[in-house]
Amino acid sequence: MAPDRGTSGETSRKLGIVAGGGPLPRRIVDRCLADGRPFFVFAIRGAAQEGLYDDVPHCWIRLGAAGEYLPRAEREGIQDLVMVGPVKRPSLVAMRPDATALKVLTRIGAKALGDDGLLRAVIEYFETEHGWRVVGIERLLTDMSPEPGQLGRHAPDAVAQSDIERARTVLSAIAAADVGQAVVIQEGLVLGVEAIEGTDSLIERCKGLKREGPGGVLVKAAKRGQEMRADRPTLGPRTVENARDAGLRGIAVEAGRTLLVDRERMVAIADEAGMFLVAIPSLDP
């Protein structure tokens, strides 16, 4: 069942959209425009697409310049906040934190060492210090996470199903280490685990490691206990194309928690390539 988009009272709350890369931030903008919801976009330099927000209220921000964008959010009267779109996490040196950012990082402390711990701590800071309610993308864009089952024409055979189960075991084992959200398995062998490089780079890396025989399987799922409001597993047509070009047999995603951008196009690519695309039950116990 798709989550409710919210009451009229909720859509009257001004939304701050922290925009990373990809099309999802703009989709949220368009949803706000359709609903008549007030909003303001904070486009992250080096991540958000240039020109995508020229027609709406926005400003460009540098992650380390918290002394500029936090007061701006207060002046804009932000009530809810959504963080969406991929952002390449910079090193502390590259971030060039100002005094406000340093204060926030000092407060976060050791939690900043892991992606999920950092996101969780940042959300806690926003909510306790500024009173902003941080919301997940699923409250704004519905029907993007599939129910369990086969999404296209093709289904995994016994070998592929075994690889999916092997991937579930691997992802569960590395969850506590806050490593990544995806793994590629071929006939029980781990060809690669996603780290900081992202899913598409993982596929490219595994392209040269595949062995003869049935192609490998990509499995994408949230890390156990992951902060879903800021970092949901997300796949789109490009990943299906990359998987096809790398000779993978199919893709399995975690049902109810993985966002599929342009699902119809993803299914069409997989169907044409003879690949399976399935949603599997959650890895969380």
Side-chain angles (χ1 to χ4, degrees):
M1 179 178 178
D4 187 5
R5 277 216 327 250
T7 64
S8 58
E10 182 161 317
T11 56
S12 68
R13 293 171 60 89
K14 189 167 186 179
L15 179 68
I17 303 170
V18 182
L24 288 181
R26 181 67 210 201
R27 291 195 182 187
I28 294 178
V29 166
D30 293 339
R31 171 54 60 196
C32 288
L33 291 171
D35 290 345
R37 180 172 188 171
F39 68 93
F40 189 86
V41 178
F42 298 88
I44 301 175
R45 294 192 183 280
Q49 182 179 329
E50 293 279 351
L52 197 59
Y53 308 103
D54 288 353
D55 62 328
V56 297
H58 75 286
C59 69
W60 286 91
I61 66 172
R62 182 176 63 81
L63 287 178
E68 298 177 7
Y69 58 77
L70 292 180
R72 178 64 182 270
E74 295 282 3
R75 293 196 301 271
E76 290 293 335
I78 298 302
Q79 295 169 287
D80 290 349
L81 196 69
V82 63
M83 295 181 282
V84 59
V87 178
K88 184 177 180 181
R89 180 176 170 181
S91 67
L92 188 60
V93 173
M95 184 184 291
R96 294 184 290 119
D98 61 14
T100 302
L102 279 174
K103 180 180 178 181
V104 175
L105 290 172
T106 300
R107 174 171 172 170
I108 291 172
K111 295 178 182 178
L113 297 178
D115 285 340
D116 197 61
L118 174 61
L119 288 171
R120 198 178 301 277
V122 167
I123 287 174
E124 180 183 357
Y125 174 82
F126 285 159
E127 292 189 329
T128 58
E129 293 297 316
H130 295 275
W132 301 321
R133 181 179 63 174
V134 179
V135 299
I137 188 175
E138 76 283 355
R139 293 183 64 89
L140 306 163
L141 299 176
T142 61
D143 297 328
M144 293 192 68
S145 295
E147 298 292 328
Q150 184 176 322
L151 303 181
R153 291 201 306 262
H154 306 287
D157 61 16
V159 174
Q161 191 62 52
S162 177
D163 281 346
I164 291 172
E165 293 306 314
R166 168 77 166 138
R168 290 173 63 95
T169 301
V170 172
L171 289 171
S172 294
I174 65 174
D178 192 14
V179 175
Q181 302 172 337
V183 62
V184 175
I185 305 285
Q186 184 183 18
E187 296 185 303
L189 297 175
V190 179
L191 298 188
V193 174
E194 179 186 21
I196 197 171
E197 81 276 29
T199 304
D200 290 325
S201 294
L202 164 67
I203 294 171
E204 181 63 28
R205 175 158 50 89
C206 292
K207 187 175 180 179
L209 300 174
K210 67 179 181 178
R211 302 175 177 232
E212 293 185 8
V217 172
L218 170 70
V219 179
K220 179 93 170 176
K223 292 171 281 189
R224 183 175 300 161
Q226 182 169 327
E227 177 48 76
M228 301 295 285
R229 287 174 292 175
D231 186 23
R232 275 184 175 262
T234 304
L235 291 179
R238 184 176 69 174
T239 297
V240 182
E241 292 172 341
N242 290 341
R244 175 200 63 197
D245 296 344
L248 300 186
R249 305 177 66 197
I251 299 173
V253 301
E254 186 178 15
R257 291 167 32 115
T258 302
L259 300 177
L260 301 185
V261 182
D262 197 351
R263 186 191 309 190
E264 290 185 3
R265 177 63 181 151
M266 294 175 67
V267 169
I269 296 168
D271 284 350
E272 184 178 354
M275 296 168 54
F276 64 81
L277 183 60
V278 297
I280 59 177
S282 176
L283 272 64
D284 262 347

